[in-house]
Amino acid sequence: MFFRGHYRWFSNFTGGFVDEYGLRWKTAEHYYQAHKTTNQYLWLEIFESPNGKAAKHLGNALRKSGNQIPEWFKIRNAIMLKALIFKFEQNPAALKLLLLTDEIIEETNTWHDNYWGNCICAKCKNLPSKNVLGKFLMRLKKRFLFQINNAVTIGCYSTNAVVSRKNVASGVFRGRSIRSRLKNITCRFVNKRPRRT
Ligand SMILES: [Zn+2]
């Protein structure tokens, strides 16, 4: 699936969030790209870039200019996963899309990215693809479903007490659709202000 239209919330270019330091990121792409460098000027340039596309462009130039941290390929998965957790915890539309998507999530693309997704161009068509982003999203879905079923607070969203561990254990929710469970999700503080440093 292409991460646009109905699936646009799966795109790293869609959906901002506040991180653990109170910084408000415009997109997950900004967060991911900025973590490639320890150069504060380049970091700030990425942080302040107007959209995910611009952030990606700046981030991709870091390697060539010698400003990408050497251990980047060891930590990039962890950075991506953190960005996704922040994003899906803080964007109700993204969380709903994730929980209501039953098909296998695959990041289909045409820009030859067979690591995070699967490029379908003529050149890449027969190459193996890892679809790491798609797999991360499916992992997150499982994590959030567990939290919902056990009435654990998801970021700023808290599941209604109706969806309690006891109710799940006693089978109250057996057979109920995820859609009906989602009605019990309420948001406590969507507009939490970031602490600027
Ligand atoms: Zn390709």
Side-chain angles (χ1 to χ4, degrees):
M1 60 185 70
F2 285 100
F3 286 0
R4 59 189 186 218
H6 176 71
Y7 295 111
R8 68 190 177 283
W9 279 103
F10 286 164
S11 165
N12 286 337
F13 288 5
T14 309
F17 55 80
V18 178
D19 72 11
E20 71 265 51
Y21 304 109
L23 290 171
R24 184 174 286 280
W25 296 89
K26 292 189 185 100
T27 70
E29 190 70 26
H30 283 78
Y31 185 88
Y32 178 81
Q33 299 296 346
H35 279 79
K36 283 182 178 176
T37 190
T38 49
N39 180 304
Q40 59 178 316
Y41 299 101
L42 297 170
W43 181 95
L44 193 63
E45 200 179 16
I46 294 170
F47 181 79
E48 292 184 331
S49 59
N51 51 52
K53 195 179 172 186
K56 186 177 184 176
H57 183 74
L58 291 167
N60 283 344
L62 294 171
R63 199 177 181 185
K64 212 175 167 184
S65 66
N67 288 296
Q68 181 172 297
I69 53 173
E71 64 273 35
W72 174 244
F73 288 97
K74 286 184 196 156
I75 65 160
R76 63 175 176 170
N77 280 8
I79 298 296
M80 180 67 88
L81 204 48
K82 267 183 88 172
L84 294 175
I85 291 169
F86 285 133
K87 171 183 156 178
F88 284 90
E89 281 181 346
Q90 297 177 37
N91 291 277
L95 183 62
K96 285 199 178 189
L97 175 68
L98 184 65
L99 296 180
L100 296 176
T101 298
D102 291 325
E103 54 267 53
I104 289 169
I105 301 172
E106 184 189 77
E107 194 257 330
T108 307
N109 66 69
T110 51
W111 47 88
H112 321 301
D113 182 354
N114 292 299
Y115 179 75
W116 292 114
N118 174 35
C119 176
I120 52 158
C121 83
K123 228 171 67 184
C124 297
K125 216 166 62 181
N126 298 317
L127 290 176
S129 61
K130 286 201 158 87
N131 186 37
V132 175
L133 180 55
K135 283 174 186 157
F136 275 2
L137 291 172
M138 289 187 281
R139 248 173 82 181
L140 275 185
K141 181 186 166 184
K142 274 191 185 170
R143 176 186 188 265
F144 288 133
L145 277 177
F146 176 84
Q147 292 179 330
I148 286 170
N149 285 330
N150 292 285
V152 176
T153 299
I154 299 176
C156 67
Y157 310 103
S158 172
T159 54
N160 189 299
V162 174
V163 192
S164 70
R165 193 187 296 266
K166 204 177 123 202
N167 284 346
V168 173
S170 65
V172 169
F173 286 91
R174 205 167 293 156
R176 278 212 201 177
S177 70
I178 294 166
R179 204 176 292 272
S180 77
R181 288 177 202 167
L182 287 176
K183 284 183 191 146
N184 294 319
I185 296 177
T186 51
C187 192
R188 280 179 185 161
F189 38 85
V190 176
N191 297 316
K192 192 181 162 194
R193 277 188 169 274
R195 291 188 312 274
R196 278 302 196 118
T197 46

